[in-house]
Amino acid sequence: MRKPLVVANWKMNLDLKSGPTLARDVADGWSRLDGHAQVDVVVCPPATMLTSVAQAISGTGVAVGAQDAYFEASGAFTGEVSAAMVRDAGATYLIVGHSERRHTIGHLEDDRTINLKLRAAQNAGLLPILCVGETLGERRAEQTLDVLTFQLTAGLVGARLKGTGDLVVAYEPVWAIGTGLNATAEQAQEAHRHLRQELRRLIGPLADDIRILYGGSLKSDNAESLLAQPEVDGGLVGGASLKAESFLGIIRAAIGTRAK
Ligand code: PGA
């Protein structure tokens, strides 16, 4: 049985005072929930806050992740930080291929770059969270499942895939991110089932141990139905992770679905 995982993606928000405070509030609140140990929790602050957030929640059981890292180990790459550097700063997870990096920010990351970042994360001892998802145009053109197959397959070329410690996948439909428009439980389940099948094709029965998270306008009031889907193993949360109470509501929903 897969242990649910709920990940906060703070994106480019908060500061050195509010970030560690929020992380501490999340860790405190989570530790008080009945059955809290049945769910893994991760917070992903901006790079400048990694160390202070990691220190603030050290020993609590809540882990820290980074939102991005460059694939080269070191060198003349102005403005970038490496996977080993974010590991050094206290991260143990790394978000890879987030849709804002694929579609919105500056140079627009392609699948080859994302694959190199995923492998760099593994080499640095980080657990990569590989984000995949279709745009609205792709969904309307009925290309969703093909896009997911391509992004998953391309993202995992040459990756080490031996168990839960090597990979987390996040299904994040681009049209649902930050829009207030979440996928329905049926749409999420269909996409997750497809990703599971594709993982089986790639790595065999071990695919059943890999957690596949849903992300895209996940909130405490829609988390229950989405997280209750059999192939949905937790969530990647943007907007609703910026307040302890709303993020804890999603964690609570994840604990509630544990019996599925
Ligand atoms: P959202 O973001 O919850 O604000 O839609 C999710 C994400 O980008 O991971």
Side-chain angles (χ1 to χ4, degrees):
M1 201 175 198
R2 297 178 295 269
K3 186 176 184 184
L5 169 66
V6 183
V7 181
N9 175 9
W10 293 352
K11 307 192 179 182
M12 200 170 75
N13 292 296
L14 306 172
D15 58 26
L16 274 179
K17 191 161 181 293
S18 57
T21 302
L22 173 59
R24 241 186 326 261
D25 289 347
V26 166
D28 283 353
W30 167 72
S31 71
R32 290 204 195 91
L33 296 175
D34 276 348
H36 69 274
Q38 295 176 16
V39 173
D40 288 333
V41 178
V42 179
V43 293
C44 301
T48 54
M49 290 170 224
L50 283 171
T51 305
S52 44
V53 165
Q55 281 167 355
I57 56 174
S58 159
T60 62
V62 172
V64 177
Q67 298 173 17
D68 182 45
Y70 197 51
F71 55 79
E72 295 285 359
S74 64
F77 304 104
T78 301
E80 299 289 347
V81 292
S82 71
M85 286 172 183
V86 298
R87 179 85 180 84
D88 203 25
T92 51
Y93 287 73
L94 180 68
I95 298 175
V96 179
H98 188 277
S99 83
E100 284 147 18
R101 302 203 61 83
R102 287 181 189 265
H103 300 290
T104 314
I105 299 167
H107 48 280
L108 307 182
E109 280 180 18
D110 60 15
D111 290 275
R112 167 89 180 128
T113 303
I114 291 162
N115 171 250
L116 291 172
K117 289 187 171 188
L118 184 139
R119 286 153 63 178
Q122 291 189 331
N123 288 338
L126 297 165
L127 207 174
I129 303 172
L130 173 64
C131 301
V132 297
E134 81 287 2
T135 62
L136 188 56
E138 288 163 343
R139 175 160 283 271
R140 286 190 175 141
E142 299 185 0
Q143 292 167 347
T144 297
L145 301 185
D146 289 341
V147 168
L148 298 183
T149 296
F150 182 79
Q151 291 181 344
L152 185 76
T153 309
L156 295 180
V157 171
R160 185 186 65 238
L161 295 163
K162 296 208 161 17
T164 45
D166 291 329
L167 177 70
V168 172
V169 176
Y171 169 59
E172 296 210 307
V174 179
W175 49 271
I177 296 177
T179 58
L181 206 72
N182 59 280
T184 64
E186 293 70 30
Q187 286 171 327
Q189 171 63 12
E190 184 198 23
H192 283 233
R193 196 176 38 225
H194 179 75
L195 286 166
R196 181 84 56 206
Q197 271 168 11
E198 291 301 291
L199 274 175
R200 281 197 197 110
R201 178 177 62 78
L202 292 167
I203 60 172
L206 267 176
D208 291 336
D209 296 337
I210 305 287
R211 290 175 290 189
I212 306 179
L213 314 182
Y214 169 78
S217 298
L218 193 61
K219 303 199 167 44
S220 37
D221 57 8
N222 61 22
E224 212 172 303
S225 66
L226 282 157
L227 300 185
Q229 297 306 307
E231 294 294 347
V232 178
D233 307 315
L236 179 53
V237 190
S241 73
L242 293 173
K243 293 266 182 299
E245 208 29 62
S246 50
F247 188 55
L248 287 166
I250 296 169
I251 296 174
R252 217 177 280 119
I255 295 172
T257 61
R258 192 65 185 106
K260 76 190 180 192

